[in-house]
Amino acid sequence: MNREFTGQVVVVTGGSRGIGRAIVERFAAQGAKVYFTFHQNAEAAANVVAATQAEAIQCSQTDAAAISAAVDKIIAIEGKIDVLVNNAGITADTFLMLMPAEDWNRVIDTNLNGVYRWCKAVTRPMLGARRGIIINLASIAGLVGVMGQTNYAASKGALLAFTRALAAELGGKNIRVNSVVPGFVETDMSARVPRQIKQKNLDHIVLKRFGKPEEVASVVTFLASDGASYIMGQSIVVDGGLTGTAA
């Protein structure tokens, strides 16, 4: 694997498991100095540190002060942040009629407001450097209707619009902003999706399989690379053809 990101500082939120871990591993393998956040699973975070030599930071998506402190700490050590990957997210699935208000608010606050907090925190140092890359992890739930996921779909659909608007704001300052939109990927989160829903979607996936975290991570690192230097404000769907073809 090439070492394209040697000398670059990359921050990945929610990097201890699943897609986030794959992203951390790929950037680290390509030479980046990687910092990643985790919320509660210290054992999983320690496993990633051991495998990649990345730095783990315990930080909640809902804690603006902790996020600002994390960014300040990284800047104090490294002097810069080249790439921010907003990957952290949660689900709390149930039908809207049965959904407690706290589940709606918790998902929106983590998945959408958390991205706002991180982007706001890194924007100042990136503007000072007049360069940077922000990549937001959305979901096909933000593109198509998935029963029982109104809160999650709302957070991810809004994230697509947020990405486009932020790209318009920051593009003139040489800060590229894009999003990656995974479909069904083999992770702990997708394992909790009811079997019948997964099978229904599998029937419509052109490649007839779920994705792997590494397949999403490769798109993320591409968007952060010089090879993607003219890609801006875009949402790259990685779903095996689920949304790209007629049912």
Side-chain angles (χ1 to χ4, degrees), residues 56-69:
I57 299 175
Q58 188 167 16
C59 183
S60 170
Q61 288 287 99
T62 64
D63 189 337
I67 289 170
S68 293

Side-chain angles (χ1 to χ4, degrees), residues 19-44:
I19 292 172
R21 174 169 181 159
I23 293 169
V24 171
E25 290 174 339
R26 193 167 183 90
F27 272 116
Q30 294 188 42
K33 175 63 177 181
V34 183
Y35 291 81
F36 71 93
T37 70
F38 70 100
H39 185 206
Q40 293 178 322
N41 195 332
E43 181 179 356

Side-chain angles (χ1 to χ4, degrees), residues 33-124:
K33 175 63 177 181
V34 183
Y35 291 81
F36 71 93
T37 70
F38 70 100
H39 185 206
Q40 293 178 322
N41 195 332
E43 181 179 356
N47 290 337
V48 177
V49 171
T52 65
Q53 303 305 304
E55 300 283 343
I57 299 175
Q58 188 167 16
C59 183
S60 170
Q61 288 287 99
T62 64
D63 189 337
I67 289 170
S68 293
V71 169
D72 289 346
K73 175 183 177 180
I74 295 168
I75 295 295
I77 295 171
E78 306 291 346
K80 62 176 182 174
I81 293 175
D82 296 292
V83 181
L84 168 66
V85 181
N86 282 303
N87 168 76
I90 62 170
T91 59
D93 297 348
T94 191
F95 292 113
L96 181 65
M97 188 174 67
L98 303 174
M99 184 180 293
E102 55 266 30
D103 282 356
W104 172 272
N105 292 330
R106 184 162 56 92
V107 169
I108 296 296
D109 200 22
T110 299
N111 297 0
L112 180 59
N113 296 345
V115 172
Y116 153 77
R117 295 179 185 108
W118 275 101
C119 288
K120 187 172 183 179
V122 304
T123 295
R124 188 176 298 277

Side-chain angles (χ1 to χ4, degrees), residues 183-196:
F184 279 91
V185 179
E186 295 173 351
T187 65
D188 293 344
M189 183 180 291
S190 67
R192 296 194 293 270
V193 175
R195 181 179 56 82
Q196 63 271 24

Side-chain angles (χ1 to χ4, degrees), residues 136-157:
N136 299 321
L137 271 289
S139 167
I140 59 164
L143 297 175
V144 301
V146 180
M147 291 190 302
Q149 287 196 322
T150 52
N151 50 4
Y152 185 73
S155 71
K156 294 300 186 176

Side-chain angles (χ1 to χ4, degrees), residues 184 186 202 205-212 215 239-240:
F184 279 91
E186 295 173 351
L202 183 60
I205 294 175
V206 175
L207 295 182
K208 299 303 179 187
R209 65 174 178 84
F210 296 133
K212 297 178 173 58
E215 293 173 309
D239 69 354

Side-chain angles (χ1 to χ4, degrees), residues 208-229:
K208 299 303 179 187
R209 65 174 178 84
F210 296 133
K212 297 178 173 58
E214 294 77 15
E215 293 173 309
V216 179
S218 67
V219 178
V220 172
T221 52
F222 167 69
L223 285 175
S225 74
D226 291 340
S229 58

